[in-house]
Amino acid sequence: MAASDQVRALRWDGAALQVLDQRLLPAEERWLIARDATETARVIHDMAVRGAPAIGLAGAYGLVMAARALADADADAWTAGLAAAVALLNAARPTAVNLAAALHHLERIARQGVPGDWRALEQAAQALWDEDLAANRRMGELGSDCLPPGTRVLTHCNTGSLATAGLGTALGVVRTAWTGQRLAAVYATESRPWLQGARLTSWELNRDGIPVNLIVDSAAAFFMARGAIDWVIVGADRITANGDVANKIGTYALAVAARHHGLRFMVVAPSTTVDLAMACGADIPIEFRGPEEILRVSGRSATEPLLAAPNPVFDVTPAGLIDVLVTEKGVLERPDAAGLAALMARAC
Ligand code: MRU
């Protein structure tokens, strides 16, 4: 593991999935254990593990555990049991396509193989892990190459090792660009209400010795107007065929503000986040979470009781606001349907 990339969100110990509980960071580093598909669905839904590629990997290991429990089943029970586990795991969070993609990939392998051969799924889950890490390393280089020395970047949410197999997507670009001495400043938004930026991104960057300016979400346009930021760099939960991008709530506002101020806007995501089967962003299922995430801060009531506090946790940035899309397959300027289809058809 590289010196600048020491954090891991998950560990597969051969029998169970160990999950670093991201709800407790940075105050406490506590590992939970998910022993079957049901417990895995719960840690994904409750956001002990979060971030599109990381929940895809967690889901894959949840399915491995379901397959192990079906090892002695006959062919019909094996197929039906796996389908039920896929449905259970896939329902844990709706927006990131990586979860569905990982589950369906493993289910396909199970269908092509010998009923009961759960080890084949374990190998496939490990391969997904290795591919995600390799994709992040490649994207780190490709994205970093887009940034001239002296660049000041702003990133949103957490897209680091905690959200992936390691290194990260947008944060992987930040890490690589920092190591390559291209960055003059790094800004991270708090990412209300769950505080992925304040609690997780700051923690990861601090551990790497990368100085970070933490700002409240609503200060982003202020710093843009002052000329303090050159590039906004974010991850993605789903990229549709026309290049629209679902990502953490607030991403769309950052893209609008970046375009207004003449800044560049980069999305960094592995090809597993691209959903060519979905035409456009309006079709993406957007997760709404409970109002308590907004109404309570640090476990305490932050406001008078309200009738409603609608809490969409993702939004959609139209392709037209994106200057650069970085995947492990290459860099696409001004993504659109034709460019994205051609990029996805490339071998790595
Ligand atoms: O609700 P979360 O924390 O799972 O949302 C995470 C994000 O929106 C990330 O930006 C995205 O998943 C990319 S992570 C590499």
Side-chain angles (χ1 to χ4, degrees), residues 248-291:
K248 181 51 51 194
I249 190 76
T251 302
Y252 176 33
L254 290 172
V256 170
R259 181 59 57 87
H260 176 78
H261 291 98
L263 315 182
R264 307 266 283 158
F265 192 88
M266 178 191 290
V267 174
V268 187
S271 55
T272 49
T273 303
V274 177
D275 184 1
L276 289 183
M278 192 168 275
C280 67
D283 297 335
I284 298 175
I286 297 291
E287 177 183 9
F288 278 66
R289 294 184 70 86

Side-chain angles (χ1 to χ4, degrees), residues 47 49-53 55 93 96 156-160 163-164 168-170 194 196 200 234-237 246-249 251 268 270 287 289 313-314:
M47 291 177 65
V49 57
R50 30 66 50 202
I55 65 174
R93 293 195 77 191
H156 187 50
C157 193
N158 172 266
T159 60
T164 63
T169 58
W194 214 77
Q196 287 93 334
L200 308 178
V234 299
D237 287 82
N247 192 48
K248 181 51 51 194
I249 190 76
T251 302
V268 187
E287 177 183 9
R289 294 184 70 86
V313 301
F314 299 100

Side-chain angles (χ1 to χ4, degrees), residues 236 238-247 265 267 273-276 278-282 284 316-325 332-341 343-344:
R238 192 186 297 245
I239 302 173
T240 54
N242 69 340
D244 290 349
V245 169
N247 192 48
F265 192 88
V267 174
T273 303
V274 177
D275 184 1
L276 289 183
M278 192 168 275
C280 67
I284 298 175
V316 175
T317 300
L321 292 176
I322 297 163
D323 295 301
V324 175
L325 171 64
L332 183 60
E333 301 253 347
R334 296 291 174 121
D336 60 11
L340 192 54
L343 181 70
M344 289 297 286

Side-chain angles (χ1 to χ4, degrees), residues 85-161:
V86 167
L88 169 81
L89 288 158
N90 198 24
R93 293 195 77 191
T95 302
V97 72
N98 306 61
L99 179 56
L103 292 168
H104 290 135
H105 174 67
L106 260 63
E107 198 181 22
R108 260 194 312 277
I109 287 173
R111 225 179 289 127
Q112 289 160 2
V114 179
D117 183 10
W118 68 274
R119 291 283 183 194
L121 300 197
E122 185 185 40
Q123 277 170 18
Q126 181 62 50
L128 287 180
W129 184 288
D130 297 342
E131 283 159 21
D132 190 60
L133 190 52
N136 291 342
R137 292 186 173 141
R138 181 75 187 126
M139 292 188 296
E141 290 162 8
L142 291 171
S144 172
D145 285 348
C146 297
L147 307 176
T151 298
R152 289 115 4 121
V153 300
L154 179 144
T155 190
H156 187 50
C157 193
N158 172 266
T159 60
S161 300

